[in-house]
C-alpha cells in the first residue's frame, strides 16, 4: 500500500496545506486555546506580584506567587492534555509535510536534470560549430567559409543556455 495520503478535494488548494506562520499560529490557537490562557494567567500573576512587592504588601505578594504556580500548573496540564489529544492530527500533518517536501525535491531534481541536459545540448552544438570552423579553416577555404560554417550552425541552434533557463523558469519544458 502506498504511503501517500488518500486523494482529497483539497489536493489542488495549496493554501489549505501550506500555511504561513500567522495561519499556523491561529490554527494552533484554535486547537489549544487553554495554553495561551494559562500563559496569560501566569503573566497576570507575575505582574500582580511585582506591583504588590512595590507596594510593600507581603500578603498580596504571596497570593500572587501562589496564583503564578497554579497558573503554570494549569498551563502544563493543558500542554500535556492537548498533546495527547492532538497527537494523531500532528502525525498526519507531519506525514503530509514529508510528502510535500519529497514532491518539491523531485521537482527540483527534475528541473536540475533538464538544465543539465540543456547545457549538454548547448555544449555539443558549440563543439560542432567549433569543429566545422576548424575543418573549414583546415581545408584552406579561408576565413569566409569558416564564418559561413559558424553562421549556418548558429542558425540550427535555437538559442543558448539563457534561453534554456528562461524556458525552465517559464515552464515551457
Amino acid at each position: 500500500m502506498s504511503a501517500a495520503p488518500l486523494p482529497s478535494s483539497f489536493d489542488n488548494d495549496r493554501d489549505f496545506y501550506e500555511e504561513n506562520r500567522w495561519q499556523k499560529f491561529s490554527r494552533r490557537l484554535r486547537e489549544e486555546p487553554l495554553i495561551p490562557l494559562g500563559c496569560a494567567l501566569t503573566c497576570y500573576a507575575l505582574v500582580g506580584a511585582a506591583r504588590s512587592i512595590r507596594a510593600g504588601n507581603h500578603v498580596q505578594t504571596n497570593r500572587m506567587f501562589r496564583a503564578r504556580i497554579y497558573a503554570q500548573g494549569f498551563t502544563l496540564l493543558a500542554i500535556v492534555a492537548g498533546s495527547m489529544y492532538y497527537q494523531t492530527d500532528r502525525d498526519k500533518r507531519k506525514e503530509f509535510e514529508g510528502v510535500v517536501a519529497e514532491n518539491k525535491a523531485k521537482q527540483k531534481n527534475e528541473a536540475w536534470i533538464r538544465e543539465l541536459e540543456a547545457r549538454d545540448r548547448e555544449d555539443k552544438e558549440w563543439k560542432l560549430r567549433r569543429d566545422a570552423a576548424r575543418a573549414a579553416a583546415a581545408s584552406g577555404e579561408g576565413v569566409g567559409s569558416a564564418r559561413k560554417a559558424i553562421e549556418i550552425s548558429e542558425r540550427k541552434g535555437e538559442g543558448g543556455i539563457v534561453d534554456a533557463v528562461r524556458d525552465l523558469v517559464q515552464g515551457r519544458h
Side-chain angles (χ1 to χ4, degrees), residues 38-54:
C39 291
L41 290 174
T42 302
C43 290
Y44 174 76
L46 282 173
V47 168
R51 285 183 179 168
S52 64
I53 287 174
R54 236 183 272 145

Side-chain angles (χ1 to χ4, degrees), residues 29-156:
L29 189 62
R30 283 190 310 268
E31 286 179 358
E32 301 183 52
L34 297 179
I35 294 173
L37 176 66
C39 291
L41 290 174
T42 302
C43 290
Y44 174 76
L46 282 173
V47 168
R51 285 183 179 168
S52 64
I53 287 174
R54 236 183 272 145
N57 188 350
H58 298 293
V59 175
Q60 184 66 21
T61 301
N62 283 332
R63 283 185 188 152
M64 294 310 284
F65 278 133
R66 285 187 198 118
R68 177 191 59 88
I69 291 171
Y70 295 140
Q72 284 179 326
F74 172 77
T75 305
L76 284 175
L77 184 65
I79 289 171
V80 170
S83 175
M84 290 170 46
Y85 184 76
Y86 287 107
Q87 185 63 39
T88 57
D89 290 342
R90 287 193 182 110
D91 290 341
K92 287 180 184 177
R93 182 165 287 282
K94 282 183 183 179
E95 179 182 335
F96 176 76
E97 288 173 356
V99 169
V100 167
E102 183 179 320
N103 286 340
K104 284 184 179 180
K106 282 182 184 178
Q107 290 174 352
K108 188 176 182 181
N109 189 23
E110 289 171 0
W112 178 246
I113 288 173
R114 285 193 303 265
E115 183 178 342
L116 288 176
E117 288 172 349
R119 287 182 182 185
D120 187 47
R121 278 193 307 271
E122 182 180 292
D123 191 40
K124 287 178 182 177
E125 290 171 0
W126 180 79
K127 286 179 182 178
L128 285 174
R129 287 193 301 253
R130 184 191 64 197
D131 291 343
R134 284 184 181 168
S139 67
E141 295 177 5
V143 177
S145 61
R147 186 171 291 141
K148 185 177 180 182
I150 291 173
E151 289 173 359
I152 290 172
S153 65
E154 284 179 353
R155 273 190 242 130
K156 288 181 184 176

